[in-house]
Amino acid sequence: MAATGEATSTPAVEAGVEVAFYHLTATPLEKALPALLERVLSRGWRAVIRAGSSERVKALDTQLWTYDPGSFLPHGAEGDARADRQPVWLTSGDDLPNDPQVLVLVDGMDVEPAGLAGFIRVLDLFDGGDDGAVAAARDRWRARKAAGHALTYWRQKPGGGWEKAG
């Protein structure tokens, strides 16, 4: 203990973040993402989705507006106004304008350990039909485990639902 009564070493601020890996095998990202975001919003959380390119952001933006005519998933994307008011924000950058509690990584996106600070949960979605994406997800899993994160692995069921594995 230090003279002030504080511990001399503290765990990394990002170590408390729960990281959930979602292995897409039955449906593509565009079909699986809306349901996961609905769960995030039902908890009162905000999310930022980090995609691999501006083109991908535009495609996901369109998908979230049109995936179900009977649903409304409020969101905005880079270039939209009032980013701070959006419960879900899509970006290809590092911006966090909506004060999110959840970070959603798609397209193999990763973040430096310090970039996880402040999030409650990280959702890492990867394509099970792409051997490179699976290998990269395994690398991210090992890195997160070494950093002390609580990890969960979710396998997609044939009908598109999820089951916790491992």
Side-chain angles (χ1 to χ4, degrees), residues 12-15 17 50 96 103 111-119 144 147 149:
V13 289
E14 74 279 354
V17 177
R50 191 164 296 158
L96 304 170
L103 172 63
V111 62
E112 293 296 319
L116 297 179
F119 291 108
R144 300 294 182 240
H149 296 287

Side-chain angles (χ1 to χ4, degrees), residues 4 9 19-20 40 63 79 94 109 113 117 130-131 133 143 154 160:
T4 62
S9 64
V19 182
V40 166
Q63 178 64 22
D94 294 336
M109 297 303 293
D130 179 338
D131 291 340
W154 295 89

Side-chain angles (χ1 to χ4, degrees), residues 36-159:
L36 291 172
L37 292 173
E38 287 173 351
R39 279 198 220 158
V40 166
L41 294 178
S42 74
R43 291 180 172 211
W45 292 339
R46 291 173 167 249
V48 65
I49 302 166
R50 191 164 296 158
S53 68
S54 293
E55 293 77 22
R56 180 68 153 164
V57 166
K58 289 176 188 170
L60 290 173
D61 182 34
T62 299
Q63 178 64 22
L64 292 179
W65 284 123
T66 61
Y67 77 97
D68 180 358
S71 292
F72 174 67
L73 187 62
H75 70 280
E78 54 189 25
D80 289 348
R82 297 187 173 156
D84 60 321
R85 293 185 179 187
Q86 304 299 333
V88 174
W89 184 252
L90 294 110
T91 183
S92 60
D94 294 336
D95 51 317
L96 304 170
N98 63 337
D99 192 28
Q101 292 83 25
V102 177
L103 172 63
V104 181
L105 300 170
V106 301
D107 303 333
M109 297 303 293
D110 199 359
V111 62
E112 293 296 319
L116 297 179
F119 291 108
I120 295 170
R121 186 166 295 154
V122 175
L123 310 182
D124 188 323
L125 286 71
F126 62 98
D127 182 356
D130 179 338
D131 291 340
V134 172
R138 287 181 180 141
D139 289 342
R140 292 190 303 274
W141 175 280
R142 284 189 286 273
R144 300 294 182 240
K145 185 174 185 178
H149 296 287
L151 303 177
T152 55
Y153 170 77
W154 295 89
R155 177 177 32 224
Q156 209 170 25
K157 296 179 187 178

